[in-house]
Amino acid sequence: MRALRFVGVLGAACPLPACQGARSASPPADAIAFPGITGPATKTVVPAEVPAAWSAYAAGGRTRLAVLLTDTASAWLGLAHGLKSIGVPFVITRDVRAALEHRVVLVYPMISGGVLPREALAALARHTRSGGTLIATNVLGGGLNDVFGFGDVVPSRSRVEVRLNPGLPLTARFDDPRELRLPLGNGPQRRSLGSYGYTAPVEPPLATYDDGTAAITRRELDSGGAAYAFGVDVGALVLIGQNNRDQFIARSYVNGYEPTLDVYLRLLEAMYVQGEPDAVTLGSVPQGREISVLVTHDVDYRYSLERAIDYARAERSMGIPATYFIQTKYLRDWNDNAFFDQAAIGHLKRLDSLGMQIASHTVSHSREFNHMPLGSGEEAYPTYQPRATSERTVTGASVLGELRVSKFLLEHFTGLPIDAFRPGHLRNPESLPEALEASGYRFSSSVTANNSLTHLPFQLQYHHGPAAETPVFEFPVTIEDEAPSALASRLPEALELADHLRRYGGLMVLLIHSNVVEPKLSFERGFVAGVKARAWFGTVDEFGRFWGARNAAGVDVTRSGGQRVVTVTLPATVEGLTVSTPAWWRFVGVEPAGVVAAGPGKVTLGPAVNRVRLVFDAGGQAVLGTGLPH
Ligand SMILES: [Zn+2]
């Protein structure tokens, strides 16, 4: 459960005065019948949980960041998903010798004499002396204090904040107070993530806690080598955010900047890029743009669908697509009349013809979605009869029923594949990831970015748990329209937020209910105009296909004389993927894919699949830390 102060307000069945003005005179139907239509016919079977294997992340070349996994029972999957989101190529290994073939080694989740033999500890110590970069979380023993440059390590569960020291090269990119102060917990409630603080740092640390001990130490050597010790388990923090289990860390629920995870991930990215002279990373925004924007609408009120057409026409004239999450409400209940009827189906076809995406927004739109039973997987129209009986009660409803029956009806009547889902009120049952997978959904927009502690998309984990992954990706809501201050008055804040996110390729998902057209459409127009020069706009499906293919992509670099050959492996087709390289590399050629744009430090690919090789001239630049084989 979320803390009360963060309980969602999204997707109410339109309590706004603007909704009340257009009541129909026709008598409400108790249930909307489509004679002869039943389905879905096949049963939905939720797969059993299969824990992810670290070895699935073991393949890759030596220019990647190496994660030396010292405890397989750790939150390593959170770390892996975090690195995927930020775009740092990595491998995971349990073999210290294999790890040390990489210039940048991240030891996770801890260094101690208990998890690493003496020879391995000695080899890690030598790595920085020969120009390598050693990053670790939780340096608890093993005699490496001198390597990392601190005196002692002090555990605590009462620290509430990590404060970045902005005066250092690795932290210079951060200047917002919400980047410089990263919460670990809620002081007054005395709930906090456990952490380790390092005392007597030899060099000014990258970050300190509120108790004055170092949260991220830093030791940079004349050899070009470096060592950094984190006192926060970054993988565990990623799991808290991405699993919607943040009850005590986020500073707001929605509509704000909450970059806690992103700052840690950007720091790791910066350490990798600094430590690996052939570092190449994957951009997070299609077509080399600076920010991804997904305009979405929730259609969950009897007059919302015809008003959606007004939005869609306006969006078409603006040259952007949008995604419409449709409630397939065929039953009258406490919330509203039934409205998924023949007229609604006509509106859906019109939305499609205007270039918009149709997605599911449940059948019943109940606030109790997160408490519903999983269901049998055999729920079908018309016998599935979920009805809200009050704001917080519902009968005849199940998670699988909401997912599969809404998808069936939308697909049946539009002929379109429905593979994106958003729950009413962003109510999010623990079973949602695996239920989405089982029901055939691929994309979800079911949480807020702020509750997720990130403005980057991510892969959902089974049962919002630590162990297993699903093939479903989450695109969290950034801006919504039901906060107390009117959306129309919040345009400057929204543009300011976009300005933060464009600095690191963040995702901005707008949620606008189509219960009224103005003044919300004016906000949307103002926002689109304000970001258009820098933004990529797409539907959830378009972005989801990009993100899924990028998530599966690998990138490796080999040397050939003064040239660098970048090999991008792409199991799925992707268009507009950007590869970021050292700024001094000069693009020479590519095969077989075309290149859309090549500039200093950045090449954007055209449609590509399987394997793409990019050749660069490295220009004889001095290579840092040449003590390692390549
Ligand atoms: Zn809704």
Side-chain angles (χ1 to χ4, degrees), residues 10-12 298-300 325 327 361 365 422-426 511 513:
L10 304 182
D298 285 4
V299 181
D300 49 25
F325 289 93
Q327 183 189 359
H361 194 41
H365 199 275
R422 174 179 291 150
H425 312 280
L426 300 188
L511 188 177
H513 292 78

Side-chain angles (χ1 to χ4, degrees), residues 259-273:
T260 293
L261 292 187
D262 303 345
V263 170
Y264 288 106
L265 295 173
R266 291 170 71 194
L267 274 172
L268 289 175
E269 178 190 37
M271 290 170 184
Y272 168 67
V273 168

Side-chain angles (χ1 to χ4, degrees), residues 198 254 304 353 424 431 617:
Y198 304 105
V254 69
S304 291
S353 71
S431 60
D617 192 336

Side-chain angles (χ1 to χ4, degrees), residues 63 82 87 138 216 225 230 284 394 406-407 507 524 571:
T63 54
N138 302 342
I216 309 172
F230 285 69
S284 50
V394 63
S406 59
K407 179 176 163 75
L507 169 68
E524 185 182 329

Side-chain angles (χ1 to χ4, degrees), residues 20 48 63 82 86 151 157 185 189 264 291 305 309 349 384 420 452 466 504 511 514 524 542 558 579 587-589:
Q20 311 302 328
T63 54
I86 198 69
R157 296 197 73 87
Q189 291 180 18
Y264 288 106
I291 179 173
L305 202 40
I309 304 299
K349 290 177 176 167
Y384 179 63
S452 307
Y504 63 99
L511 188 177
S514 62
E524 185 182 329
E542 288 164 346
T558 54
V579 174
F587 177 64
V588 175

